[in-house]
Amino acid sequence: MVSDIDMPDMGGLELGKRLHEEGGGPYLVFLTAYLEYASESYILEAYQYILKEDMKKRLPPILRQLIDRVKKEKQQFRMIGTPTSKVRVYYRDMIYIEKEKGSKYICYITEHAIYKERISLKKLSEKLESDEFILIERGYIINVSHIASMKDGMVLMDNGARIFVNRISFKKIKEQISLYRGICNGY
């Protein structure tokens, strides 16, 4: 979504705050003549902040880049369910995947639902063709884009789940985060 920062009734930052509070939402591109709002737009995790004086030069390539990113995300999903009833679950919505204890099923944990599938974690990790997933011990695949923090052998996911990992996996996760963020930012 492209929005001006300064608008009557509800400004772009207020709109961004509401979308951010609802969780997720569209990519935000802010346009403004005011540089002082840039830091607040980053807190809202805006995709870009463009000064109006740079708009003709910066907006077209940013929109092309964003369209390409959204198209790619739309292609990254997994069909889960029975042959007669399948659900499309997008990679970006998968917070983590865990092996169900004492079962041959795994559970896909998303913000709004839990989906089950009969497949091994190892086989699934081979099928997930994305740098945002990492297989860790104790029966988990985590989505690095949903990591809220990491400390003392624990990974806190953005839904509040706490996943404990050993030192080797902890280091591997940090490396994967760096790799994933570098790819996402075009490095």
Side-chain angles (χ1 to χ4, degrees), residues 95-98 101 109 136-142 146-166 170 173:
I95 299 171
Y96 64 94
I97 303 158
E98 70 177 329
K101 292 181 180 170
I109 312 300
I136 58 173
E137 92 284 352
R138 298 188 186 157
Y140 290 94
I141 296 174
I142 60 173
H146 285 282
I147 293 174
S149 65
M150 295 176 59
K151 186 177 180 187
D152 301 327
M154 183 187 68
V155 178
L156 178 64
M157 304 305 290
D158 59 13
N159 70 340
R162 298 170 190 269
I163 301 171
F164 294 93
V165 296
N166 65 34
F170 200 77
I173 293 166

Side-chain angles (χ1 to χ4, degrees), residues 8-146:
D9 297 326
M10 183 190 308
L13 290 175
E14 180 60 29
L15 175 63
K17 284 177 190 174
R18 289 186 185 182
L19 291 170
H20 191 71
E21 287 169 2
E22 290 176 13
Y27 289 100
L28 294 171
V29 176
F30 286 122
L31 304 173
T32 189
Y34 308 104
L35 187 59
E36 62 266 19
Y37 295 116
S39 62
E40 196 168 346
S41 76
Y42 291 114
I43 292 169
L44 297 174
E45 298 175 3
Y47 185 74
Q48 287 287 328
Y49 183 90
I50 302 171
L51 291 172
K52 287 184 179 177
E53 63 191 45
D54 299 331
M55 190 168 58
K56 284 184 181 178
K57 181 176 124 189
R58 291 194 60 219
L59 187 59
I62 286 170
L63 290 178
R64 279 191 297 279
Q65 189 180 63
L66 190 53
I67 288 167
D68 290 343
R69 184 176 188 164
V70 170
K71 281 181 182 177
K72 182 179 177 188
E73 285 178 359
K74 293 280 186 198
Q75 295 170 351
Q76 294 182 319
F77 62 88
R78 182 144 178 89
M79 296 302 291
I80 302 169
T82 65
T84 57
S85 174
K86 290 198 180 244
V87 172
R88 181 180 299 195
V89 181
Y90 290 98
Y91 289 0
R92 68 176 180 268
D93 296 331
M94 297 176 191
I95 299 171
Y96 64 94
I97 303 158
E98 70 177 329
K99 167 105 173 58
E100 194 173 61
K101 292 181 180 170
S103 172
K104 294 182 180 183
Y105 286 86
I106 59 162
C107 297
Y108 297 85
I109 312 300
T110 70
E111 185 177 340
H112 302 291
I114 298 174
Y115 303 96
K116 291 184 179 184
E117 182 178 27
R118 189 174 175 158
I119 188 172
S120 73
L121 278 178
K122 185 174 182 181
K123 187 178 250 183
L124 176 64
S125 70
E126 293 166 0
K127 290 184 177 209
L128 291 172
E129 297 173 359
S130 175
D131 291 324
E132 62 192 304
F133 293 103
I134 184 167
L135 175 65
I136 58 173
E137 92 284 352
R138 298 188 186 157
Y140 290 94
I141 296 174
I142 60 173
N143 185 332
V144 296
S145 65
H146 285 282

